[in-house]
Amino acid sequence: MSIQRSLSIFERAKAVIPGGVNSPVRACRSVGADPLFIAQGDGARITDVDGNTYIDLIGSWGPLILGHSHPAILDTIAEAMSQGTTFGAPTEIEVRFAETIRAAYPSMQMVRALSSGTEATMSALRLARGFTGRAKIIKTDGGYHGHADCLLVSAGSGAATLGIPGSAGVPEGAARDTIVVPYNDLASVEAAFTTHGADIAAIIIEPIAGNMGLVAPQPGYLEGLRSITQKHGALLIFDEVITGFRAGFGGAQEKYGITPDLTCLGKIVGGGLPAAAFGGRADIMQKLAPLGPVYQAGTLSGNPLAMAAGLAVIEILARPGTYDRLEALGKRLGDGLLAAATEAGIPSCLNRVGSVMTLFFTAGPVTDYASAKSSDTNRFGKFFRNMRDRGVFLPPSQFEAMFVSLAHTDDDIDQVIAAARASLLAS
Ligand SMILES: *Cc1c(COP(=O)(O)O)cnc(C)c1O
């Protein structure tokens, strides 16, 4: 298999784009590979510029729950496009989008659309701070919520620590008000509220962590976060950018029966175009401009093409049996991958919720970022490269999740498992 054209485009890219990519993980550096440049996608498969075809388990990091180039979605976008692409004035489809989101997520009494998950979490936090008049926020170690300054913060030492900047360019001031706690650890949240309770505006959390590899919440964890925040007058923000319309039609909040104050959605709700949303309790959302004092805006917010694409995906997901099918496909893949690793005698554990999963190369259990980091990332790099050579496109990091789509067939899954068996035995 030649990737000569990808390599030569990558050389050009490196001269004009930092690292040759527009989002760092795409560079495949942590797995010791060069990136492939993609020419097209169709269903469960993508084809690179050299003409190699791969079974895709990234799905653009979550949005493509129906697979690539779904005909109904492409038709919808084309039809919307024929009316124009953007107006900077309200369109009816934005109202339909908000109504559809609210119907699926009753906690989102009011909804505002924007263009990326980063904008959704950044705006939700500003709103939480504006609403409560408090400055501090709590996030989890290894929790990813986009790249706003106050969220690019890593844990210091200890259980509940004031954050330190997790990126150059984030001033200490932006990190100082972020408290970092381990995922699945209620005691450290209690401790943070004991010390800083009156200053904490909100906890922001992925109800199912997806960016340290996939880690599910332990029983009682989300309930505990709900009751602690309620007790202290802080807001609970669910970052459902991955889990929204993925963990189930109503997301993780429906699956676990928890009502957050604010919710962030992204990825699937844009149907493969740039759209995201945040929303929640009406009394909080009404603090947003133009009704209230918390400013938030966007030139392309509620873009009619993106709204149309997102609505078309949601309409298909609403059909009966969708999530049962995703669960069946996910289980088939998860069980097969774990069996292949076990057969090869490799210490591993598989975390999965429905159609999202991570095979960790550690005996586990993986319940938080610290335990995820005990994985053998060299082995993962080898696994990634072996799988790509065998025609399977995995997320290029041990700390990311694989995404199965409705376009995958049982046979596709079995091909992935066969490739995994051969790759793991070879390593
Ligand atoms: C992808 C992601 C984001 C950021 O969304 P972008 O559209 O990449 O800005 C935020 N939160 C979570 C949980 C995500 O997975």
Side-chain angles (χ1 to χ4, degrees), residues 23 61 115-121 143-147 204-211 239-243 264-267 275-276 400 403:
S23 197
W61 302 95
S115 302
S116 71
T118 293
E119 270 188 278
T121 57
Y144 179 70
H145 307 286
H147 60 89
I204 183 165
I205 185 144
E206 297 172 75
I208 301 165
N211 289 287
D239 179 351
E240 297 225 45
V241 169
I242 287 181
T243 54
C264 302
L265 298 173
K267 298 193 167 113
E400 301 284 359
F403 293 91

Side-chain angles (χ1 to χ4, degrees), residues 18-279:
V21 292
N22 282 317
S23 197
V25 73
R26 297 179 197 170
C28 296
R29 290 169 76 112
S30 80
V31 290
D34 288 315
L36 300 176
F37 283 72
I38 306 305
Q40 67 158 106
D42 183 20
R45 285 176 171 70
I46 51 171
T47 303
D48 68 16
V49 290
D50 289 280
N52 306 302
T53 295
Y54 306 84
I55 297 176
D56 181 20
L57 288 172
I58 300 183
S60 192
W61 302 95
L64 299 183
I65 194 165
L66 304 182
H68 295 269
S69 304
H70 189 289
I73 308 308
L74 297 187
D75 286 351
T76 299
I77 295 170
E79 196 184 311
M81 192 167 63
S82 71
Q83 308 300 311
T85 58
T86 175
F87 306 103
T91 53
E92 186 181 357
I93 197 165
E94 295 164 76
V95 184
R96 198 146 62 77
F97 182 82
E99 288 166 347
T100 302
I101 299 281
R102 186 178 62 179
Y105 294 76
S107 74
M108 299 174 76
Q109 295 168 346
M110 301 190 93
V111 179
R112 184 160 276 176
L114 15 68
S115 302
S116 71
T118 293
E119 270 188 278
T121 57
M122 180 186 79
S123 305
L125 282 174
R126 183 182 304 136
L127 178 58
R129 286 167 155 167
F131 178 79
T132 59
R134 302 173 179 183
K136 291 197 191 309
I137 57 161
I138 295 180
K139 77 177 280 289
T140 60
D141 189 23
Y144 179 70
H145 307 286
H147 60 89
D149 278 357
C150 66
L151 291 165
L152 283 185
V153 171
S154 40
S157 57
T161 54
L162 292 184
I164 49 170
S167 160
V170 173
E172 269 171 39
R176 198 169 41 222
D177 285 326
T178 303
I179 299 167
V180 183
V181 298
Y183 190 76
N184 269 329
D185 180 0
L186 269 183
S188 61
V189 176
E190 301 265 17
F193 272 98
T194 301
T195 315
H196 303 289
D199 301 324
I200 297 172
I203 298 178
I204 183 165
I205 185 144
E206 297 172 75
I208 301 165
N211 289 287
M212 54 182 91
L214 190 91
V215 180
Q218 285 172 348
Y221 180 56
L222 299 175
E223 289 82 352
L225 296 180
R226 180 64 281 184
S227 67
I228 294 169
T229 44
Q230 230 144 22
K231 189 169 119 197
H232 291 273
L235 303 185
L236 180 61
I237 305 174
F238 271 10
D239 179 351
E240 297 225 45
V241 169
I242 287 181
T243 54
F245 294 100
R246 172 67 73 170
F249 193 71
Q253 54 195 267
E254 178 187 67
K255 182 180 177 65
Y256 298 111
I258 309 286
T259 305
D261 299 299
L262 294 173
T263 298
C264 302
L265 298 173
K267 298 193 167 113
I268 288 174
V269 301
L273 291 182
F278 74 108

Side-chain angles (χ1 to χ4, degrees), residues 369-421:
Y369 194 37
S371 46
K373 281 194 291 195
S374 72
S375 301
D376 182 343
T377 53
N378 282 331
R379 187 185 292 282
F380 183 84
K382 245 180 254 168
F383 179 57
F384 171 90
R385 298 190 302 272
N386 279 327
M387 289 293 274
R388 206 171 76 173
D389 289 346
R390 289 179 166 83
V392 179
F393 196 59
L394 294 178
S397 165
Q398 171 72 94
F399 307 111
E400 301 284 359
M402 301 177 208
F403 293 91
V404 177
S405 78
L406 286 167
H408 289 88
T409 63
D410 286 355
D411 185 56
D412 293 331
I413 299 298
D414 292 347
Q415 285 182 44
V416 172
I417 295 165
R421 183 172 291 120

